[in-house]
Amino acid sequence: MSKARRLTVLGVTAALAGSLMAVPAAARTAAPRPGPAAPGATPAKTPVAVGYGGAVASVDADASAAGIAVLRKGGNAVDAAVATAAALGVTEPYSAGVGGGGYFVYYDAGTKTIRTLDGRETAPRTATKDLFLENGKPIPFDDAVTSGLSIGTPGTPATWDSALKKWGSRSLAQVLEPAEQLAAKGFTVDPTFRKQTADNEARFRDFPATAALFLPGGKLPVVGSTLKNPDLARTYRELGRKGVGALYHGAIGRDVVRTVQRPPVRAGSTRKIRPGALTTADLAAYRTLGHAPTHTTYRGLDVYGMAPSSSGGTSVAEALNILEKSDLSHLTEKQFLHRYIEASRIAFADRGRWVGDPASENVPVKGLTSKRFAASRECLINDGKALTSPLAPGDPRHPTPCGTTGPAAPTTYEGENTTHLTVADKWGNIVSYTLTIEQTGGSGITVPGRGFLLNNELTDFSFAPANPAVHDPNLPGPGKRPRSSISPTIVLRHGTPVLALGSPGGATIITTVLQTLVNHLDRGMPLVDAIAAPRASQRNAAATELEPALWDSPLRGQLEALGHSFKPNPEIGAATGVQRLPDGRWLAAAEKVRRGGGSAMVVHPAP
């Protein structure tokens, strides 16, 4: 999201002075350029930056600046990732924050290993498969979103705490301080923020705490005005002082539970707001999970991703394994897109049948990511004719050539608003971290006096089986984590980083990460151009979504001649990544246009 910030990078850096160390004079007086800015200047926003000392790429300049400030003061990639994420909770409050969850993938340069944290939200322990059913039928999706029913136990604060304790070098209080100052001083409203607010205005007005924060004076925020969030500043300060126990065992958590169980609705509202059943015991029982990452090889590289409860790692791996059998670098654009679309379709067919919360479902991760299974599915692709969706799944436990198992089921809906950040430090450590509150604006319900929106992540469950004849691994259940498509990815060569990547976008995250990887690794595009390239997203649906540049291209007609069907999507994903260059420099890359362009920064810019 583009934001011409009134708050300067120096303002963010100064917030660190007392908790990390003093800001060097050189940093305070540097000429305006990508990275640190001069006093009084707005943070520079550029989609690509190259240099030394570490890198940060996010959708927001103030957030990237917060991460760079931590790196500049000697913090590592984990410290900087948490600082960046906390700042995004201020400037991207409709996408992420204390009230949400996410998935954190970390490369440890010292041990050359990949570690992960599953910080996904969980359903209340009283939840059943009928959570979103009334009289045996699913309630309307929009009604479920704006309700206490949709709110899961937040996992983001626990993720920050776990990451810092396991791999960080700074305290939670230290890395939250830049975001605390940002919330207190405010950021400048841009057209995108105003539009997102306008899109949610009707439901925001039904919750007094939400309206007071995001509709100042009862009106939409004016572009160019400063939006402050003193309640969130106090929340960050309390989390820093007392630790995340303030949420999972303390007063913040009690406020969350009260809000979920008795949503504070405006007097006179006609909206039916269903209460949720989240309890303080649910908060106290929450834990992040340290799953082994998913892994596959691709053209001699090692590709690591997020294991279930996310479907991102298995789906990206399966699609890559299918595509590895084609020489994508020598295909025409038509041939390339056809094979990419078909690999995505197949991977989503298998995702829908097999992937759910591994605590409740037997997810065949090794089978889904195996070369043998990919070979059994790749043979379905016909270069002269498109497959038809919904495509039936294969059986990764017992692969048979071109085989399917049981009837097909369509892919269920998943919201498309999230945020992603990618960070590297001077020691070579990397973080790829995607965090979310699900829909734009989450549940629409702000915790009174706390300054953050609550998620609607439980709507990522299937409300009912898409096909009653097909087992659905993603139905609600007690303490269960809904399936996600979040796909933070790190690619290594012989244990050394090549690149890290991720994107927001709901189920389109998987296709965004996949297409960006093959654009770069196979089609030879520089990372920033691979991110910027027009996207297609096929998710075992009747129609493949196309961004305008492909929709308006002759390629659409050429692919339609093969039997493909399409529908337009104005914007798919908003990726960020970092890349280790052969000479040791870091390259940070973000969107050129999507969401108003992203913000790539390095500690010490270099040609």
Side-chain angles (χ1 to χ4, degrees), residues 82-176:
V82 175
T84 303
L88 287 168
V90 179
T91 61
E92 295 283 305
Y94 304 153
S95 300
V98 171
Y103 297 89
F104 192 103
V105 178
Y106 169 62
Y107 169 76
D108 186 320
T111 60
K112 297 185 182 299
T113 56
I114 302 287
R115 313 290 179 83
T116 77
L117 287 172
D118 178 333
R120 184 64 156 158
E121 300 88 341
T122 56
R125 293 180 299 173
T126 57
T128 70
K129 63 182 178 59
D130 299 328
L131 178 65
F132 293 110
L133 301 184
E134 289 182 357
N135 300 317
K137 296 182 179 180
I139 65 176
F141 185 81
D142 288 346
D143 288 2
V145 168
T146 309
S147 75
L149 283 178
S150 70
I151 300 168
T153 302
T156 291
T159 302
W160 294 348
D161 186 59
S162 295
L164 290 170
K165 286 178 177 176
K166 288 174 181 286
W167 312 304
S169 68
R170 298 294 188 265
S171 70
L172 182 63
Q174 287 173 313
V175 299
L176 288 183

Side-chain angles (χ1 to χ4, degrees), residues 504-524:
T508 69
I509 294 172
I510 291 168
T511 57
T512 295
V513 169
L514 174 65
Q515 190 173 2
T516 303
L517 284 172
V518 293
N519 279 345
H520 178 66
L521 298 176
D522 291 290
R523 307 295 279 181

Side-chain angles (χ1 to χ4, degrees), residues 121-401:
E121 300 88 341
T122 56
R125 293 180 299 173
T126 57
T128 70
K129 63 182 178 59
D130 299 328
L131 178 65
F132 293 110
L133 301 184
E134 289 182 357
N135 300 317
K137 296 182 179 180
I139 65 176
F141 185 81
D142 288 346
D143 288 2
V145 168
T146 309
S147 75
L149 283 178
S150 70
I151 300 168
T153 302
T156 291
T159 302
W160 294 348
D161 186 59
S162 295
L164 290 170
K165 286 178 177 176
K166 288 174 181 286
W167 312 304
S169 68
R170 298 294 188 265
S171 70
L172 182 63
Q174 287 173 313
V175 299
L176 288 183
E177 194 167 352
E180 177 193 327
Q181 295 299 317
L182 183 60
K185 295 180 179 179
F187 64 89
T188 303
V189 173
D190 73 347
T192 306
F193 187 88
R194 178 184 167 90
K195 181 181 185 304
Q196 288 185 328
T197 310
D199 291 344
N200 284 280
E201 181 178 4
R203 68 184 187 129
F204 280 7
R205 288 194 183 282
D206 281 336
F207 302 101
T210 306
L213 178 55
F214 299 118
L215 298 168
K219 300 178 181 179
L220 288 171
V222 176
V223 174
S225 66
T226 299
L227 188 70
K228 299 180 180 181
N229 192 340
D231 286 345
L232 182 58
R234 285 191 293 270
T235 296
Y236 279 155
R237 193 177 310 121
E238 187 169 348
L239 288 170
R241 187 174 69 252
K242 297 181 179 179
V244 298
L247 189 147
Y248 296 102
H249 304 280
I252 298 174
R254 290 191 292 273
D255 288 345
V256 168
V257 167
R258 187 181 305 111
T259 303
V260 173
Q261 294 184 355
R262 296 188 296 276
V265 185
R266 172 180 59 85
S269 171
T270 59
R271 190 184 300 271
K272 182 178 181 180
I273 307 297
R274 294 165 174 84
L278 193 73
T279 67
T280 55
D282 291 316
L283 295 183
Y286 186 84
R287 300 291 185 275
T288 57
L289 302 175
H291 301 304
T294 60
H295 172 251
T296 192
T297 59
Y298 186 70
R299 310 203 192 282
L301 303 173
D302 291 288
V303 182
Y304 293 91
M306 194 67 222
S309 57
S310 180
S311 64
T314 55
S315 300
V316 170
E318 181 183 350
L320 286 174
N321 288 337
I322 291 170
L323 291 171
E324 192 173 29
K325 294 185 171 294
S326 304
D327 185 358
L328 301 182
S329 64
H330 288 91
L331 297 183
T332 65
E333 197 67 20
K334 169 191 167 184
Q335 293 169 328
F336 164 71
L337 285 171
H338 172 68
R339 288 211 147 238
Y340 155 72
I341 288 169
E342 299 295 66
S344 300
R345 189 193 313 270
I346 293 168
F348 267 87
D350 298 326
R351 162 197 186 266
R353 168 62 182 83
W354 298 106
V355 182
D357 183 347
S360 304
E361 299 287 333
N362 184 14
V363 185
V365 173
K366 288 186 178 179
L368 287 167
T369 58
S370 72
K371 302 292 185 182
R372 181 184 173 207
F373 181 57
S376 77
R377 301 293 277 160
E378 189 271 343
C379 65
L380 293 170
I381 298 176
N382 181 338
D383 284 332
K385 184 179 180 181
L387 293 165
T388 301
S389 289
L391 180 71
D395 188 344
R397 304 165 304 178
H398 307 289
T400 57

